[in-house]
């Protein structure tokens, strides 16, 4: 995924009201831009740190841009626009980068399923049956470790998705939880027991019932993002 035009660079002044961020450009101009992240953004931003944003040309938009990439307190880069994850995964799926899911004959997005009225991110058709793939964007890193964690805030919705996937797996239907790690300098992923123990437990229970768990890391900078490597998932508490 290429950013075109290339992202603009600024300094973060503050994030507030969840969806707003004030930034300062190199020429001293200050802007308020959209923050497309509903999570806590724990450990992936700092006031005074570098940010990169996309500029909007839509005259109907209230805000002139969207926050895309953040410099973390650990000096990593994080893609904070969670809406990018599914597009990145689709690109990787179609390119055959995610080898465990290669060979599908059709791909559909946002397909309704499950007893709890969910929508699966990707419904893949294979010759031997379908695969349901749920995607989560991972941006939570910690100092002195290359292991990222998910989630960065309590997520009842995420636990619901795991229950839905587990129900499919019990029926013999292929169900996959895929973590898209949009954070540089990461070598593995784990559930964030310290933030949401209920989600972490739901993940382990889902795996025990047959849900596949995959994690893939991305290479990112101001010019673009691309999923490029498989990462291990560490489930031991």
């Amino acid at each position: 995924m290429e950013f075109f035009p290339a992202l603009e660079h600024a300094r973060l002044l503050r994030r507030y009201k969840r969806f707003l961020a004030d930034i300062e450009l190199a020429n001293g101009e200050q802007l308020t831009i959209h923050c497309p992240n509903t999570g806590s953004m724990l450990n992936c931003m700092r006031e005074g740190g570098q940010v990169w944003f996309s500029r909007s040309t839509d005259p109907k938009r209230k805000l002139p841009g969207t926050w895309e990439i953040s410099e973390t307190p650990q000096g990593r880069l994080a893609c904070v626009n969670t809406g990018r994850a599914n597009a990145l995964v689709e690109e990787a799926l179609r390119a055959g980068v995610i080898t465990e899911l290669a060979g599908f004959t059709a791909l559909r997005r946002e397909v309704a399923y499950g007893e709890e009225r969910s929508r699966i991110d990707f419904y893949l058709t294979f010759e031997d049956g379908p695969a349901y793939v749920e995607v989560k964007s991972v941006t939570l890193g910690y100092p002195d470790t290359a292991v990222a964690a998910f989630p960065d805030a309590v997520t009842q919705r995420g636990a619901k998705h795991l229950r839905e996937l587990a129900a499919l797996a019990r029926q013999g239907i292929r169900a996959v939880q895929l973590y898209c790690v949009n954070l540089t300098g990461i070598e593995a992923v784990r559930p964030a027991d310290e933030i949401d123990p209920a989600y972490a437990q739901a993940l382990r229970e889902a795996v025990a019932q047959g849900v596949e768990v995959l994690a893939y890391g991305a290479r990112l900078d101001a010019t673009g993002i691309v999923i490029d490597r498989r990462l291990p998932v560490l489930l031991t508490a």
Side-chain angles (χ1 to χ4, degrees), residues 201-224:
Q201 182 61 27
L203 176 62
R204 296 184 180 100
E205 291 176 356
V207 170
Q209 294 175 68
V211 174
E212 298 175 45
V213 179
L214 303 174
Y216 271 77
R219 183 177 69 251
L220 63 131
D221 58 30
T223 64

Side-chain angles (χ1 to χ4, degrees), residues 57-165:
T57 58
D58 184 352
K60 296 181 180 179
R61 276 194 55 162
K62 294 182 179 179
L63 299 175
T66 300
W67 188 0
E68 300 284 355
I69 294 176
S70 175
E71 177 191 27
T72 77
Q74 296 81 41
R76 299 184 175 110
L77 296 181
C79 176
V80 298
N81 186 345
T82 56
R84 297 284 186 185
N86 281 12
L88 284 168
V89 169
E90 180 172 355
E91 184 177 80
L93 285 169
R94 294 192 183 280
V97 173
I98 302 175
T99 55
E100 295 87 348
L101 296 171
F104 58 87
T105 57
L107 178 154
R108 294 167 59 197
R109 291 180 61 165
E110 296 294 325
V111 175
Y113 81 110
E115 295 182 357
E116 299 185 57
R117 298 183 180 181
S118 297
R119 286 186 174 273
I120 197 70
D121 289 317
F122 293 98
Y123 178 93
L124 303 179
T125 302
F126 293 86
E127 291 185 0
D128 58 352
Y132 289 72
V133 183
E134 179 67 29
V135 176
K136 299 298 181 191
S137 179
V138 179
T139 58
L140 174 57
Y142 290 95
D144 304 320
T145 179
V147 180
F150 182 89
D152 67 358
V154 174
T155 172
Q156 295 179 350
R157 185 168 178 265
K160 181 186 83 166
H161 291 157
L162 290 172
R163 291 193 300 269
E164 297 276 46
L165 291 174

Side-chain angles (χ1 to χ4, degrees), residues 6-100:
L7 300 183
E8 296 185 47
H9 176 257
R11 182 173 68 91
L12 178 66
L13 299 178
R14 62 171 182 151
R15 179 209 185 192
Y16 59 104
K17 294 183 179 179
R18 203 175 186 186
F19 297 110
L20 299 176
D22 290 342
I23 61 172
E24 183 178 63
L25 279 62
N27 63 6
E29 179 185 3
Q30 294 187 9
L31 297 175
T32 298
I33 60 173
H34 174 56
C35 176
N37 192 309
T38 60
S40 71
M41 293 178 62
L42 177 65
N43 288 356
C44 65
M45 64 174 180
R46 66 178 180 87
E47 293 185 358
Q50 298 183 88
V51 298
W52 289 262
F53 69 101
S54 55
R55 180 86 66 161
S56 173
T57 58
D58 184 352
K60 296 181 180 179
R61 276 194 55 162
K62 294 182 179 179
L63 299 175
T66 300
W67 188 0
E68 300 284 355
I69 294 176
S70 175
E71 177 191 27
T72 77
Q74 296 81 41
R76 299 184 175 110
L77 296 181
C79 176
V80 298
N81 186 345
T82 56
R84 297 284 186 185
N86 281 12
L88 284 168
V89 169
E90 180 172 355
E91 184 177 80
L93 285 169
R94 294 192 183 280
V97 173
I98 302 175
T99 55
E100 295 87 348

Side-chain angles (χ1 to χ4, degrees), residues 221-232:
D221 58 30
T223 64
I225 312 175
V226 61
I227 290 175
D228 65 353
R229 65 196 185 283
R230 171 78 187 274
L231 299 174

